[in-house]
Structure formats: C-alpha cells, structure tokens
Amino acid sequence: MGIREKLNENPNITTGITIGIIVLALGFIVWQIMGGDGAGTPQTEMYYSADDGATYFADDVSKVPPYDHEGKQAVRAYVFKCSDGTPFVAYLERMAPEVRDKYEAALKLQSDPEKGPQAMMDAESMSMESMEVKKPGGSKWVKRTNPEADTIVQVACPDGTTNGLSIVFP
C-alpha cells in the first residue's frame, strides 16, 4: 500500500500533517519577519572615514556625509572583506556639499502634514542626484548618476578577485 492510499484511508493523519506543515511555515515566516537570522534587524550604524579611507569608524546611520567629526570632514566608508578576512575600505560616499543643507532641511520637513509629502520627494530626488563616490586615495568625487561611478563601486579584493567578498557592517 502506498502513501497516498494510506493518507486517503486515514483523514485524521492527513489533517494533522497538513496543520503541522502550515504551523511550521507560519512559524518560519514570523521568525524571518522578526529578524530571527539577523537579516531583518535595522542597521543603526554605518562606517565612516575622516582620512580618505585609511581608517574608519562606526557612527549613526542617519548622519548625512560629509559631516564634522573631531574637526575633520567624515564621509561614508563602504567596508568589505575577502576570504582572508582582512577588512578594507572599497569606496567612499558623500552628498555633494552644495546640496547637503537643502537635503537636511527637506528631511526635517517630512513630518509636516502640509509640506511633508513634497519634502519627502525633494529629499529622495536630492539623494539620488547628489550622492558622490570615489575610491580611497582617488583625486575626484564622481556623481553616483555618472556611468563612471559604476566602476568606482564595483568591488574586488585587493588581489583582483572576488573570492569570499562580503560587505562588513558595524
């Protein structure tokens, strides 16, 4: 006698198995939503550098780079590691300095019932159009919308491969 026949003859077993599968699936979904594997945990800190990527430090993710950090301009640092486990700054990111103040003003208006929706759209537009990137030690900042930026944010290990490449968060 096959499994199908056995299940057809015992509807209580079939119902029990079905309920068990549903409970397991719902439990897995809730576990994922609640951040059971750490992936659902909101990032509260990012890495920044105030010395062109030579070193980096963790700070509040809501800071808009560049910002003043101990008398120097800090920018966001994207830190990666390869199979050997040694972290390195792959590239740096900032908002174009001439737009930064307008961006922060738009962020502050987002909670205003009348001006909030427009401020949110303005902030999003400024964020997309005004972000700049460069490699550590690079001479110029490049707008993120410029095709040249794609080569800057393409990350490879120091040996030129991508073996074990992964981003590092604080």
Side-chain angles (χ1 to χ4, degrees):
M1 180 184 309
I3 293 175
R4 177 176 268 167
E5 290 85 17
K6 187 82 165 166
L7 291 174
N8 284 340
E9 289 177 7
N10 298 301
N12 290 341
I13 292 175
T14 304
T15 302
I17 291 172
T18 303
I19 290 172
I21 291 171
I22 291 170
V23 167
L24 284 173
L26 288 173
F28 181 74
I29 290 169
V30 168
W31 179 70
Q32 290 261 320
I33 289 172
M34 298 303 286
D37 63 352
T41 305
Q43 197 67 36
T44 59
E45 290 186 320
M46 289 293 288
Y47 286 123
Y48 297 88
S49 178
D51 58 6
D52 202 34
T55 61
Y56 55 90
F57 56 92
D59 206 343
D60 189 334
V61 70
S62 67
K63 295 212 173 174
V64 180
Y67 68 93
D68 184 65
H69 176 77
E70 298 177 358
K72 295 181 180 178
Q73 290 292 295
V75 296
R76 186 159 289 148
Y78 286 87
V79 179
F80 287 78
K81 67 179 179 178
C82 298
S83 55
D84 71 356
T86 305
F88 64 97
V89 176
Y91 65 95
L92 304 166
E93 181 183 66
R94 72 176 186 183
M95 176 160 286
E98 65 273 10
V99 179
R100 186 180 177 283
D101 290 341
K102 291 180 200 170
Y103 176 76
E104 285 196 320
L107 288 179
K108 288 178 183 173
L109 287 174
Q110 287 184 6
S111 60
D112 183 304
E114 291 179 24
K115 298 177 184 175
Q118 183 63 47
M120 190 178 306
M121 289 190 304
D122 291 346
E124 183 67 26
S125 175
M126 281 185 259
S127 177
M128 290 172 49
E129 295 172 10
S130 302
M131 293 308 279
E132 300 175 327
V133 294
K134 78 175 192 112
K135 290 282 188 192
S139 61
K140 69 175 185 170
W141 289 93
V142 177
K143 293 259 189 234
R144 190 66 180 88
T145 54
N146 183 326
E148 188 181 336
D150 292 340
T151 59
I152 293 171
V153 299
Q154 284 181 346
V155 181
C157 298
D159 65 3
T161 68
T162 56
N163 294 336
L165 182 67
S166 62
I167 193 163
V168 178
F169 293 104

